[in-house]
């Protein structure tokens, strides 16, 4: 076995161990690097407390306190990002007028300090949404 292959095997073993420690003490959500095929599996190697801190930092007031209005904004953000930032498709999916989506996205931008026309900010918010769950499960 070459030195490069050993380094790769060691990296895979470390990642699997980190995954076990952050998901379940008895099973790993990620068996090897070949299963590392999306954002969700990438996040399994990050400790839960780091994911939670990131989520709270990026989403900020949208998470505290949890009210019906912040829940609506989170749903709008998830839908907007899930529809690649399309105002019309988001409005259709949520059964809203497009102006309502514009208003809600403006509120989200205000609360988070992020600009949803920026890809970098969209990625930060998407990662924060993925991190806000108790456990991160790999995409199937």
């Amino acid at each position: 076995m070459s030195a490069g292959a050993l380094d790769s095997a060691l990296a895979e073993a470390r990642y699997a161990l980190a995954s076990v420690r952050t998901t379940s003490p008895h099973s790993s959500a990620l068996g090897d690097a070949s299963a590392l095929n999306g954002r969700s599996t990438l996040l399994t190697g990050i400790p839960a407390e780091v994911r939670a801190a990131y989520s709270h930092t990026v989403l900020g007031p949208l998470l505290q306190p949890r009210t019906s209005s912040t829940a609506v904004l989170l749903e709008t953000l998830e839908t907007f990002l899930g529809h690649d930032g399309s105002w019309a498709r988001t409005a259709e999916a949520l059964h809203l007028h497009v102006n309502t989506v514009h208003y809600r996205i403006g509120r989200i931008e205000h609360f988070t300090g992020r600009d949803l026309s920026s890809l970098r900010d969209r990625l930060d918010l998407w990662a924060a949404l993925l991190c806000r769950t108790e456990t991160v499960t790999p995409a199937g």
Side-chain angles (χ1 to χ4, degrees):
M1 186 176 265
S2 70
L6 286 174
D7 286 342
S8 178
L10 180 59
E12 286 183 28
R14 285 183 178 147
Y15 196 85
L17 178 61
S19 177
V20 167
R21 288 180 176 158
T22 60
T23 56
S24 170
H26 305 296
S27 65
S28 174
L30 183 67
D32 61 53
S34 67
L36 185 58
N37 59 8
R39 291 174 299 273
S40 294
T41 54
L42 178 64
L43 294 174
T44 63
I46 300 172
E49 43 294 338
V50 174
R51 292 191 314 261
Y54 180 78
S55 180
H56 285 284
T57 300
V58 174
L59 295 173
L62 294 179
L63 296 177
Q64 299 172 4
R66 297 288 296 201
T67 65
S68 61
S69 63
T70 58
V72 165
L73 292 178
L74 285 171
E75 178 188 22
T76 301
L77 177 59
E78 287 175 327
T79 305
F80 183 76
L81 294 174
H83 286 90
D84 302 319
S86 169
W87 303 95
R89 291 192 322 237
T90 301
E92 183 179 330
L94 294 174
H95 307 289
L96 299 171
H97 191 277
V98 72
N99 289 345
T100 303
V101 174
H102 278 276
Y103 173 77
R104 288 182 183 180
I105 294 299
R107 299 301 300 152
I108 292 165
E109 290 174 331
H110 170 78
F111 286 132
T112 64
R114 306 291 172 137
D115 176 4
L116 280 160
S117 67
S118 160
L119 177 60
R120 179 170 292 159
D121 286 346
R122 284 185 191 183
L123 291 173
D124 286 344
L125 289 164
W126 189 253
L129 288 170
L130 289 173
C131 287
R132 78 189 158 111
T133 58
E134 190 69 27
T135 59
V136 177
T137 56

